[in-house]
Amino acid sequence: ENMSRLLILVFFVAQCSAFSLSHYGQQIWKLNSMTSKFRSGIHERGIQAAMSMEQDKDFVVPSKALTRRAAILIAAAATIAPKQSVADTESKASSDAYWDNLLKEGKISKKAYQVLHFAATEKPFTSPLLKEKRNGVFTCAACGTELFSSDKKFDSGTGWPSFWDKLEGAELEEGNAYDNFVNMRTEVHCRTCKGHLGHVFDDGVVWSVPTNKRYCINGVSLGFVPREQPASPAAA
């Protein structure tokens, strides 16, 4: 019996070592990205977008076995999809044309299109906004809605712009059991255009931020509007 347990343990360790942490992270990315599209009722476009992103080095994506995992994703999406109102369904049905037009008119880049519309994840340490330290407000790259204030930004070292609080323009997704209980995170959207921004985690205590929240946001989904620093009483 002890020998059987030992063999099982060895087998388990061997299986775990066969997958790198980055590979696991890529699977999680694909599951969330594809599930988001299945829930919105346009999974065919979601698959096409994911296949397109597989060829783009600017995104964190898996490298193989898309078809095999797609079947699993369909089943998962069917069990965790939140109920949607008729108005919400109609809004999402028209979202393809909205995002396609923004891309066609050059109002957003291809990278921003993939992140905002298809919930892709940009590679870490690639956003110029990581080094943005001026006073101002971070806005939605698609519609200009104010999302985060510069005084709530902090350096998390994760490779994505991070904030410890949001403005009213950013809203949190509800009803995604997979994200809430498996990934321990909540998706963040633009309240106006519903574009995907990133996720919020409850690990802010690591950085001793006031809210204990870390809004981990794709830089490509943001714009930045600088504002003059208010004059101090002494200067006046």
Side-chain angles (χ1 to χ4, degrees):
E1 181 180 354
N2 290 335
M3 180 60 69
S4 297
R5 291 179 178 177
L6 179 60
L7 290 174
I8 292 174
L9 178 61
V10 171
F11 177 79
F12 176 76
V13 172
Q15 289 296 311
C16 289
S17 62
F19 296 93
S20 66
L21 180 60
S22 61
H23 179 76
Y24 174 76
Q26 291 171 352
Q27 310 313 305
I28 293 299
W29 173 90
K30 179 55 68 64
L31 180 57
N32 280 279
S33 178
M34 295 299 294
T35 299
S36 176
K37 287 296 98 182
F38 287 131
R39 288 202 313 272
S40 68
I42 49 175
H43 61 276
E44 291 184 0
R45 288 179 60 91
I47 292 176
Q48 292 171 4
M51 293 179 68
S52 173
M53 285 183 282
E54 291 223 11
Q55 308 302 321
D56 197 324
K57 296 182 180 180
D58 291 317
F59 296 98
V60 179
V61 294
S63 57
K64 53 187 176 181
L66 172 64
T67 303
R68 177 172 57 83
R69 290 195 302 273
I72 301 174
L73 299 176
I74 294 173
T79 61
I80 65 177
K83 295 181 179 179
Q84 300 174 336
S85 64
V86 174
D88 187 43
T89 302
E90 292 177 350
S91 174
K92 288 186 176 181
S94 62
S95 64
D96 278 340
Y98 171 77
W99 294 107
D100 290 349
N101 286 335
L102 286 180
L103 180 62
K104 183 179 180 180
E105 295 170 3
K107 294 181 178 179
I108 59 174
S109 66
K110 179 182 177 181
K111 296 177 185 178
Y113 174 84
Q114 299 287 14
V115 171
L116 287 162
H117 186 33
F118 288 112
T121 299
E122 67 182 4
K123 283 194 172 182
F125 302 103
T126 59
S127 173
L129 293 180
L130 276 173
K131 299 180 180 180
E132 182 57 70
K133 300 182 182 299
R134 292 175 294 173
N135 182 54
V137 62
F138 293 85
T139 62
C140 175
C143 66
T145 298
E146 296 187 351
L147 303 171
F148 301 95
S149 176
S150 61
D151 61 354
K152 304 298 190 297
K153 185 173 183 284
F154 69 100
D155 183 7
S156 66
T158 58
W160 293 277
S162 300
F163 307 85
W164 53 265
D165 204 358
K166 67 180 184 66
L167 299 177
E168 288 297 318
E171 68 175 1
L172 306 183
E173 182 185 37
E174 297 180 355
N176 189 335
Y178 181 84
D179 254 5
N180 293 339
F181 299 107
V182 178
N183 284 336
M184 304 299 288
R185 67 185 188 182
T186 301
E187 188 171 355
V188 185
H189 298 139
C190 171
R191 186 179 297 275
T192 303
C193 68
K194 308 304 180 184
H196 171 81
L197 303 174
H199 298 87
V200 57
F201 299 83
D202 292 320
D203 58 6
V205 64
V206 175
W207 296 272
S208 300
V209 294
T211 60
N212 288 337
K213 302 281 187 182
R214 174 173 60 94
Y215 289 83
C216 186
I217 307 299
N218 291 281
V220 74
S221 67
L222 299 175
F224 179 74
V225 179
R227 290 181 176 172
E228 292 185 6
Q229 195 77 26
S232 64

